[in-house]
Amino acid sequence: KAGRTKEKQEKMKNILVIDGQGGMLGKQIVEAIRKILPDDEITAVGTNISATGSMLKAGANNGATGENAVIVCARTADIIVGPVGIAIADSLLGEITPAMAQAVGQSRAKKVLIPVNKCNNIIIGVSGKKTSELIREAIEKIEEISRES
């Protein structure tokens, strides 16, 4: 039994969800991850307290807010999830600082970025897809990554 517990711990992933504004996208992501990967560690980092609070209410294990939280949490994440803007400086109406975007981009974590066509960031090839469909695809990818050893 102890061997199975250790094996389960080794497979658990540290999933970092980053969002801004009101945190509604992050909230939906956390809820969906929690359903399929109930034992994985989910850390929610919001660019503001409202986003962080929404993700914590959705079931994140831990939460923090702001630039330094993104920088610190990106160092130890296995998977980083959020809108594509988290990797683009000055996105989310200026909520993503250059240091935040750099921390996401330089992290060794696998990044699952949801294409949101806002703030002058236009992603080609996803027109017509609903946000719920994009989230579903992201969750499928997160589950696939989480199952990898």
Side-chain angles (χ1 to χ4, degrees), residues 15 22-23 26 28 38 42-43 53 60 67 70 75 80 82 90 101 103 105 132 138:
I15 302 170
Q28 292 174 65
I42 301 173
T43 300
E67 179 180 79
V70 171
R75 290 182 199 145
I80 297 175
D90 299 332
S132 59

Side-chain angles (χ1 to χ4, degrees), residues 10-25:
E10 288 173 7
K11 287 186 175 185
M12 282 181 25
K13 298 289 184 192
N14 180 7
I15 302 170
L16 172 59
V17 181
I18 303 172
D19 199 11
Q21 308 286 303
M24 290 300 103
L25 182 65

Side-chain angles (χ1 to χ4, degrees), residues 10-11 16 21 26 28 33 55 60 63 67 72 75 105 131 137 139-140 142 148:
E10 288 173 7
K11 287 186 175 185
L16 172 59
Q21 308 286 303
Q28 292 174 65
I33 292 170
M55 293 186 285
E67 179 180 79
V72 171
R75 290 182 199 145
T131 302
E137 289 178 23
I139 297 305
E140 288 171 3
I142 292 164
E148 295 173 359

Side-chain angles (χ1 to χ4, degrees), residues 16 20 22 31 42 56-58 60 70 85 98 111 113 120-121 124 140 142 146 148:
L16 172 59
E31 288 172 344
I42 301 173
L56 281 168
K57 287 178 187 172
V70 171
K111 292 105 181 151
L113 304 175
N120 295 326
N121 298 316
I124 303 302
E140 288 171 3
I142 292 164
S146 186
E148 295 173 359

Side-chain angles (χ1 to χ4, degrees), residues 35-149:
K35 285 179 186 172
I36 62 162
L37 300 168
D39 297 323
D40 283 9
E41 186 79 10
I42 301 173
T43 300
V45 175
T47 59
N48 60 66
I49 194 70
S50 177
T52 305
S54 291
M55 293 186 285
L56 281 168
K57 287 178 187 172
N61 300 86
N62 307 296
T65 302
E67 179 180 79
N68 200 56
V70 171
I71 294 167
V72 171
C73 293
R75 290 182 199 145
T76 58
D78 297 309
I79 303 169
I80 297 175
V81 190
V84 70
I86 65 173
I88 302 171
D90 299 332
S91 290
L92 279 65
L93 299 175
E95 291 187 11
I96 300 297
T97 67
M100 291 168 145
Q102 182 176 9
V104 170
Q106 290 181 340
S107 173
R108 291 180 178 251
K110 295 204 175 174
K111 292 105 181 151
V112 179
L113 304 175
I114 298 172
V116 179
N117 290 328
K118 291 187 179 176
C119 299
N120 295 326
N121 298 316
I122 309 301
I123 312 300
I124 303 302
V126 294
S127 61
K129 288 193 176 184
K130 294 180 181 178
T131 302
S132 59
E133 188 177 351
L134 295 170
I135 291 171
R136 183 185 48 73
E137 289 178 23
I139 297 305
E140 288 171 3
K141 182 54 74 176
I142 292 164
E143 185 174 26
E144 178 184 316
I145 293 167
S146 186
R147 303 289 182 225
E148 295 173 359
S149 50

